[in-house]
């Protein structure tokens, strides 16, 4: 399959590399010049579960996307949420009749942005539990296992989506079709809406946060705000199940000792965060549906304060 990874950061590198290893024709489109130059010069280098892997994947600057001759069957967008609109604008001329656009970003409401550029029958919306990191330009750190779920936004789109799922599974990405993708997206947003902002502000890993005396009450209050908003979008979140998913992040033997990606972005690298697309999205939706969201509002404001204090870009 001819595949464009639009946004070749940590996650884009993982998906691009695994799809390239499975003999698909993969190209990267990205906006970070140093990263692009390094990959084109030396290949994408990855620490892939402890093994050094180098892959030659052609990489182009997003501002030159309209000049690329590549009839993609699939575009996987993997920008940060606040970069998605501009990336879609850059790649819109590469979307042909046959092209599907798959979005696996964390956060809520990305379909509204993608639908500005392409109709529902081209869009696959999903959610992933894979993880990835970047150690520097052209250098990815890819550990562990994961899976992903996706759904076509077109009610007759399941059969075509299955073709994409087959390609993802040949690359061992563990994909499956979901008939309730919004529910999965909300569940993952609850994990990010608690762990990411709280660990970032408290300067803690997930396990240490989970052992604080107020952790349960704070997490429950935030999850309830997500659940109350979700109801207005016909999504019934099972709070108990969601709390279990959040608490599984406290496990020191699995991911508990890690800092969430928001911590890495803001505290370690002074980069802007996705807070407006996670807790901030709940605040906006809460206003629309008349649902109070004080915890999400406070968390969003505090993260923005921290972004300003650190002069995040
Ligand atoms: P990322 O920050 O690694 O990459 C996103 C974009 O930012 C890419 O275009 C990349 O080139 C650019 N970028 C990265 N570091 C940069 C730097 N130092 N200077 C300039 N540009 C830089 O993002 P990601 O972690 O791949 O996440 C993509 C999406 O997937 C997000 O919505 C994220 O929440 C979600 N997600 C991430 C993970 C994870 O483990 N990383 C897991 C699940 C979902
Ligand atoms: C995560 N972490 O999504 C991934 O740090 O942004 C993040 C993130 C998979 C399972 C649990 C947490």
């Amino acid at each position: 399959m001819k595949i464009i990874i639009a946004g070749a950061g940590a996650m884009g590198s993982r998906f691009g590399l695994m799809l390239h290893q499975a003999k698909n024709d993969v190209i990267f489109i990205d906006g970070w010049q140093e990263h692009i130059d390094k990959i084109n010069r030396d290949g994408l280098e990855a620490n892939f579960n402890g093994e050094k892997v180098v892959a030659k994947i052609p990489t182009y600057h997003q501002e030159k996307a309209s000049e690329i001759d590549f009839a993609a069957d699939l575009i996987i967008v993997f920008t940060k949420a606040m970069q998605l609109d501009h990336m879609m604008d850059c790649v819109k001329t590469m979307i042909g009749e046959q092209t599907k656009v798959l979005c696996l970003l964390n956060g809520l409401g990305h379909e509204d942005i993608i639908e500005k550029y392409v109709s529902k029958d081209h869009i696959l919306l999903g959610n992933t539990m894979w993880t990835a990191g970047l150690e520097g330009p052209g250098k990815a750190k890819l550990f562990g296992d994961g899976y992903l779920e996706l759904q076509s936004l077109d009610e007759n789109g399941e059969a075509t989506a299955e073709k994409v799922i087959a390609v993802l599974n040949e690359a061992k990405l563990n994909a499956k079709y979901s008939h309730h993708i919004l529910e999965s997206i909300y569940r993952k947003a609850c994990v990010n809406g608690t762990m990411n902002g709280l660990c970032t502000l408290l300067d803690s890993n997930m396990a240490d946060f989970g052992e604080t005396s107020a952790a349960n009450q704070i997490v429950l209050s935030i999850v309830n705000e997500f659940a109350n908003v979700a109801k207005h979008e016909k999504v019934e979140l099972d709070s108990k199940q969601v709390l279990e998913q959040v608490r599984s992040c406290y496990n020191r033997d699995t991911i508990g000792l890690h800092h969430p990606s928001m911590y890495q972005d803001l505290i370690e690298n002074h980069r802007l965060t996705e807070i407006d697309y996670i807790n901030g999205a709940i605040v906006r939706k809460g206003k629309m549906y008349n649902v109070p969201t004080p915890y999400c509002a406070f968390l969003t404001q505090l993260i923005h304060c921290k972004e300003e204090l650190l002069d995040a870009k």
Side-chain angles (χ1 to χ4, degrees):
M1 195 174 253
K2 289 175 88 69
I3 302 171
I4 296 173
I5 307 288
M11 290 296 278
S13 294
R14 171 183 280 290
F15 276 63
L17 177 64
M18 291 173 75
L19 287 160
H20 169 86
Q21 286 174 332
K23 308 274 180 271
N24 292 286
D25 185 1
V26 178
I27 66 167
F28 285 152
I29 293 180
D30 201 73
W32 182 12
Q33 192 64 54
E34 223 187 322
H35 185 55
I36 297 168
D37 293 343
K38 179 85 172 71
I39 297 174
N40 283 331
R41 195 178 59 240
D42 302 327
L44 172 72
E45 186 186 319
N47 179 343
F48 194 72
N49 294 322
E51 187 192 335
K52 183 178 160 181
V53 177
V54 178
K56 285 278 181 191
I57 300 178
T59 306
Y60 302 88
H61 200 286
Q62 62 199 34
E63 303 305 333
K64 300 234 167 103
S66 62
E67 296 167 20
I68 308 167
D69 182 16
F70 190 84
D73 302 298
L74 177 64
I75 299 178
I76 305 181
V77 285
F78 250 137
T79 59
K80 281 282 163 57
M82 52 284 186
Q83 303 164 327
L84 179 62
D85 201 336
H86 184 61
M87 178 60 87
M88 283 303 301
D89 195 35
C90 290
V91 300
K92 67 184 178 207
T93 56
M94 305 188 77
I95 304 174
E97 266 303 297
Q98 82 290 358
T99 318
K100 299 283 176 251
V101 178
L102 169 61
C103 173
L104 297 168
L105 272 59
N106 278 335
L108 299 165
H110 306 311
E111 61 278 20
D112 298 338
I113 290 171
I114 300 173
E115 274 182 61
K116 293 199 305 185
Y117 299 95
V118 58
S119 55
K120 275 188 177 21
D121 54 326
H122 289 261
I123 305 174
L124 304 172
L125 190 62
N127 178 247
T128 182
M129 298 303 274
W130 284 100
T131 62
L134 275 187
E135 292 184 313
K139 223 173 161 193
K141 193 172 173 187
L142 310 174
F143 274 81
D145 263 330
Y147 61 87
L148 69 103
E149 295 174 65
L150 63 86
Q151 182 172 16
S152 170
L153 291 194
D154 173 12
E155 56 188 37
N156 300 315
E158 185 170 346
T160 0
E162 286 293 353
K163 290 184 190 156
V164 171
I165 287 173
V167 170
L168 294 169
N169 283 335
E170 275 165 34
K172 303 191 174 67
L173 281 159
N174 302 331
K176 67 172 189 217
Y177 198 79
S178 165
H179 292 97
H180 307 282
I181 198 64
L182 215 46
E183 195 184 312
S184 306
I185 288 174
Y186 259 102
R187 275 206 306 268
K188 177 85 191 281
C190 286
V191 173
N192 297 125
T194 50
M195 293 301 98
N196 290 24
L198 294 169
C199 292
T200 301
L201 291 169
L202 295 170
D203 197 359
S204 75
N205 63 37
M206 297 188 274
D208 289 345
F209 166 73
E211 284 177 9
T212 61
S213 49
N216 267 347
Q217 192 267 319
I218 299 174
V219 165
L220 184 61
S221 303
I222 294 174
V223 168
N224 282 339
E225 291 181 8
F226 274 74
N228 292 340
V229 165
K231 266 192 201 119
H232 289 265
E233 302 194 337
K234 299 191 175 64
V235 175
E236 283 297 329
L237 284 183
D238 178 341
S239 287
K240 256 194 170 165
Q241 203 186 7
V242 173
L243 286 174
E244 275 319 300
Q245 195 170 348
V246 173
R247 287 187 189 129
S248 70
C249 297
Y250 305 159
N251 187 340
R252 288 178 190 274
D253 298 327
T254 53
I255 53 175
L257 297 179
H258 287 282
H259 287 91
S261 61
M262 190 175 288
Y263 180 98
Q264 293 166 33
D265 285 339
L266 182 54
I267 307 299
E268 292 173 1
N269 294 308
H270 297 187
R271 295 178 71 208
L272 290 167
T273 72
E274 295 181 299
I275 197 77
D276 284 336
Y277 301 84
I278 308 171
N279 306 82
I282 293 300
V283 178
R284 284 194 302 279
K285 287 171 185 283
K287 283 194 180 123
M288 216 159 69
Y289 304 132
N290 216 8
V291 172
T293 59
Y295 273 80
C296 284
F298 190 39
L299 200 48
T300 305
Q301 281 175 316
L302 288 180
I303 289 290
H304 283 316
C305 290
K306 194 72 183 168
E307 288 173 339
E308 284 181 39
L309 289 169
L310 294 174
D311 195 22
K313 300 273 184 296

